Amino acid sequence: MSKLITPHGGRLINLYLAEDDVQKEKEMAQEIQSWDLTHRQICDIELLLNGGFSPLDGFMSETDYDSVVENLRLADGTLWPMPITLDVKKDFAEQVSVGETIALRDQEGVLIATLTISDIWTPNKSNEATKVFGADDLAHPAVTYLHHHAGEVYLGGKLKGVEAPNHYDYNHLRDTPAELRTKFEKWGWKRVVAFQTRNPMHRAHQELTFRAAQQVEANLLIQPVVGMTKPGDIDHYSRVRCYQHVLDQYPQQTTTLSLLPLAMRMGGPREAVWHALIRKNYGCTHFIVGRDHAGPGSNSQGEDFYGPYDAQEMVKEFEDEIEIEMVPFQMMVYVEEKAEYYPIDEVDKEANTVLNISGTEFRRRLQEGLDIPEWFTYPKVVEELRKTRPPKHLQGFTIFFTGLSGSGKSTIANALLVKLLEMGGRNITLLDGDVVRQHLSSELGFSKEHRNLNIERIGYVASEITKNGGIAICAPIAPYTATRQKVRDMISPLGGFIEAYVATPLDTCEERDRKGLYAKARKGIIKEFTGISDPYEVPENPELSINTQEYSPDQAAQLILLKLEKLGFIK
Ligand code: PPS
């Protein structure tokens, strides 16, 4: 048996009920309130139940949460840098009370665990953002998540695990901490260095990890995150196919690949300490921390949230306590004269030609179908990535018209549709305001809530079309900035999003009054009419603003085609 020793000398937590108790718990759960776990919560609960988050034995209590936020420690002093909380909607929280047990289910209703509530509280999210992520700045993905996606109320309490969250993908590459420890024991791996990643691996990463393993004389565990990573990252299916190709580059029996169902927060230094603790739980003795580990990019002032080596410094500070040795790593660069990779600080830049391709440049080359040299990455990796990131002219996109009723959105949208059909070779769907209201939103009215729901539905359909390489043309009024932004955020990671504001002034729309609606609105026969008795928030930064007094529908459609060409979406 492996020694199930975790950081802090405790045992590896296993929160799953014994087989005999599972049936009883399932029967009991039919009588109690259920909470449907979000994707993030499914990731967290999997690692809580299987001991990846040892020594935690449930979602944090308020005192543990406060202590973690303020001091990176649980209330009893145990090192733990990241809040692991169960956020729920306010109306759900109002229906439950301390001492009650609730069922936690996945999106299909499968019972994953039960939680006996010990605490119910409303967190100070701005304080959490500032203390945990360094700033209450929405440019940080975890801060956006906290304010815009997470529920208002947190529930704390101990968990009883009924069933592990189900995965249909790459089951042979998924291990619990206990399974991985057993494998290491079986293979005679005493010293194991873990490599964490959320990106595809290229030659530089292979060189870095290989050198790190050599340096500390350890076997190598490549343990990429397949739960949630930074929005916009390459999907894990493609990444895992890439990792499998890269695995062939290591000497046999030195290296293994195992997938980690973690929901990252991109919390830089705190996150690096958290990652180290998790790796300790998975039985690793060493952990590679490179430049800008788990960095979220720049803040709203355009500066990096964290310094490039902050994460290394913080892990160093706690490595003895975690009982894992950090292996710090510099950026690897390719030295042309030597046809080899070296850590950047070991290269004499005067005497050598140093080559490197930045992430942005790599994505540009992929998008434009340009050459990617073999010194940078493996041909099979490029092949995989070209499939997921096709050049722009093969990607899907959404043209999202917005403007007052009668502004000319539908006319321009139809002209554009016809021109794109004439060009041929693409699948196009027109989601016109009236048509959507007939087929998708027939039960909705024109209150703010209903309008937003209508736009979210249009956004969802358009996002599916865009994701699958099609063209969606949407032409609703979409009067609210926040909802338009929501749709943009939903679609942008999947392809192009072009907001086209049809800027016809209200008096012109009213003069035209093609459907006679403005006259009725003025008389009060139609209530909540946009521009008359309901607001229209003018877009601040649309990709296109079309003045219909200067452009005929045909010219406006041409204008959009030129924009699409400029952006690379049509060739
Ligand atoms: S929204 O706000 O985006 O959900 O509106 P949308 O679905 O695009 O509206 C579609 C058409 O509904 C007609 N209509 C109204 N518009 C605005 N306000 C009120 N109260 C209203 N009642 C009916 C109007 O003809 C919209 O079509 P367009 O093509 O914009 O003229």
Side-chain angles (χ1 to χ4, degrees):
M1 272 300 287
S2 60
K3 276 196 293 171
L4 298 185
I5 300 298
T6 64
H8 335 292
R11 75 202 156 83
L12 186 63
I13 297 280
N14 171 8
L15 298 179
Y16 288 107
L17 287 169
E19 229 170 274
D20 291 351
D21 298 324
V22 165
Q23 194 48 37
K24 271 187 253 153
E25 199 71 5
K26 280 187 178 166
E27 278 160 24
M28 188 275 287
Q30 283 171 0
E31 311 296 322
I32 59 179
Q33 298 252 36
S34 275
W35 171 255
D36 291 341
L37 295 160
T38 62
H39 185 198
R40 151 96 75 102
Q41 293 166 351
I42 287 276
C43 294
D44 284 353
I45 208 168
E46 180 167 1
L47 291 171
L48 282 166
L49 297 178
N50 73 15
F53 286 170
S54 298
L56 304 189
D57 60 3
F59 285 103
M60 281 178 185
S61 67
E62 188 175 0
T63 37
D64 277 337
Y65 165 79
D66 285 341
S67 176
V68 165
V69 169
E70 301 300 325
N71 312 312
L72 292 89
R73 289 179 185 281
L74 301 173
D76 69 2
T78 307
L79 180 68
W80 190 274
M82 198 56 72
I84 306 294
T85 47
L86 184 70
D87 58 282
V88 297
K89 295 209 168 75
K90 202 163 155 239
D91 52 0
F92 181 82
E94 280 164 4
Q95 294 164 33
V96 295
S97 42
V98 169
E100 195 175 326
T101 298
I102 57 168
L104 302 180
R105 298 181 184 275
D106 72 7
Q107 295 297 324
E108 280 151 28
V110 176
L111 180 67
I112 303 297
T114 59
L115 174 98
T116 302
I117 303 171
S118 63
D119 298 68
I120 302 175
W121 77 102
T122 303
N124 177 342
K125 290 188 176 178
S126 292
N127 183 57
E128 180 178 334
T130 311
K131 300 271 169 58
V132 178
F133 301 112
D136 191 12
D137 182 339
L138 291 175
H140 194 299
V143 177
T144 295
Y145 188 91
L146 193 58
H147 287 299
H148 292 324
H149 300 284
E152 303 89 337
V153 181
Y154 288 175
L155 306 182
K158 293 209 159 105
L159 287 168
K160 283 185 187 160
V162 173
E163 193 169 322
N166 195 14
H167 298 286
Y168 296 105
D169 58 324
Y170 301 119
N171 269 318
H172 63 295
L173 293 174
R174 294 177 185 268
D175 303 281
T176 65
E179 282 167 351
L180 206 52
R181 285 169 180 228
T182 307
K183 280 187 179 175
F184 293 161
E185 185 100 344
K186 196 167 162 191
W187 299 336
W189 288 20
K190 254 186 115 54
R191 293 163 67 86
V192 182
V193 59
F195 179 63
Q196 135 86 31
T197 183
R198 47 169 260 265
N199 286 313
M201 287 175 76
H202 304 302
R203 278 184 199 270
H205 305 100
Q206 194 277 342
E207 292 284 343
L208 181 160
T209 49
F210 185 60
R211 273 173 179 254
Q214 271 185 331
Q215 193 178 303
V216 296
E217 294 175 42
N219 289 94
L220 175 65
L221 168 68
I222 298 171
Q223 201 181 29
V225 171
V226 296
M228 284 169 83
T229 63
K230 196 174 156 192
D233 279 350
I234 290 180
D235 67 279
H236 79 266
Y237 304 101
S238 318
R239 284 191 287 116
V240 174
R241 290 195 296 271
C242 293
Y243 302 136
Q244 286 172 315
H245 294 309
V246 175
L247 205 60
D248 295 340
Q249 306 298 322
Y250 296 91
Q252 270 186 9
Q253 301 185 13
T254 62
T255 304
T256 194
L257 173 67
S258 182
L259 310 182
L260 184 68
L262 176 73
M264 288 180 74
R265 278 40 167 188
M266 310 310 300
R270 274 198 190 230
E271 176 125 1
V273 173
W274 185 38
H275 288 177
L277 278 162
I278 296 167
R279 270 44 185 234
K280 175 73 189 178
N281 287 330
Y282 273 89
C284 303
T285 53
H286 295 73
F287 182 51
I288 299 173
V289 183
R291 198 181 172 279
D292 195 26
H293 188 101
S298 356
N299 63 20
S300 48
Q301 264 76 54
E303 289 150 15
D304 284 346
F305 275 94
Y306 315 114
Y309 298 104
D310 287 2
Q312 287 185 353
E313 276 165 31
M314 198 183 263
V315 177
K316 187 88 210 146
E317 188 186 332
F318 294 118
E319 65 177 357
D320 290 345
E321 195 171 345
I322 304 172
E323 297 172 329
I324 199 163
E325 197 179 309
M326 179 183 68
V327 187
F329 245 85
Q330 291 273 338
M331 202 165 96
M332 300 291 290
V333 289
Y334 185 74
V335 179
E336 195 172 29
E337 288 80 2
K338 302 198 170 141
E340 259 192 301
Y341 274 88
Y342 288 91
I344 195 158
D345 59 343
E346 287 177 23
V347 181
D348 176 356
K349 289 201 208 90
E350 304 287 296
N352 293 288
T353 318
V354 168
L355 300 180
N356 193 23
I357 294 181
S358 70
T360 318
E361 174 61 12
F362 177 64
R363 282 190 290 277
R364 188 188 75 84
R365 290 188 187 203
L366 270 184
Q367 290 219 319
E368 305 197 357
L370 299 173
D371 177 52
I372 293 166
E374 273 200 38
W375 62 260
F376 179 74
T377 194
Y378 309 96
K380 283 189 170 167
V381 169
V382 176
E383 206 179 298
E384 287 299 344
L385 295 177
R386 285 209 201 276
K387 280 190 231 156
T388 39
R389 289 278 155 113
K392 267 213 174 142
H393 69 277
L394 296 178
Q395 286 178 21
F397 61 86
T398 293
I399 310 279
F400 193 90
F401 289 99
T402 169
L404 294 170
S405 171
S407 57
K409 302 181 299 286
S410 308
T411 317
I412 302 171
N414 274 297
L416 179 66
L417 171 73
V418 169
K419 284 187 191 301
L420 287 166
L421 287 171
E422 193 182 320
M423 290 168 71
R426 304 294 302 251
N427 295 319
I428 315 166
T429 302
L430 174 59
L431 297 162
D432 197 12
D434 283 331
V435 177
V436 168
R437 287 236 167 222
Q438 202 182 332
H439 295 291
L440 267 185
S441 296
S442 56
E443 87 288 18
L444 298 183
F446 288 87
S447 64
K448 182 171 184 180
E449 196 195 350
H450 278 194
R451 286 179 194 265
N452 286 343
L453 200 54
N454 180 40
I455 300 308
E456 280 173 28
R457 288 179 188 173
I458 294 174
Y460 174 71
V461 176
S463 74
E464 285 294 311
I465 293 167
T466 304
K467 184 172 78 185
N468 293 313
I471 301 174
I473 305 176
C474 313
I477 298 175
Y480 297 107
T481 308
T483 324
R484 291 191 301 256
Q485 183 63 40
K486 214 168 172 184
V487 171
R488 178 186 287 274
D489 292 345
M490 201 188 324
I491 296 175
S492 300
L494 308 169
F497 184 81
I498 295 102
E499 185 175 348
Y501 170 42
V502 183
T504 312
L506 177 65
D507 48 4
T508 312
C509 298
E510 196 168 355
E511 239 166 67
R512 290 184 193 154
D513 203 8
R514 284 174 45 190
K515 299 181 194 164
L517 297 174
Y518 282 93
K520 285 189 186 155
R522 286 287 179 201
K523 285 185 196 144
I525 302 169
I526 302 179
K527 308 264 183 278
E528 299 177 310
F529 196 82
T530 309
I532 306 295
S533 42
D534 223 45
Y536 180 81
E537 297 169 3
V538 171
E540 281 169 18
N541 290 309
E543 277 71 14
L544 271 168
S545 185
I546 302 164
N547 182 338
T548 50
Q549 272 141 330
E550 276 180 31
Y551 289 88
S552 69
D554 196 40
Q555 290 167 335
Q558 280 298 342
L559 199 70
I560 299 165
L561 286 182
L562 292 175
K563 185 76 179 179
L564 288 169
E565 201 177 0
K566 187 170 171 208
L567 293 170
F569 288 111
I570 52 176
K571 224 160 117 153

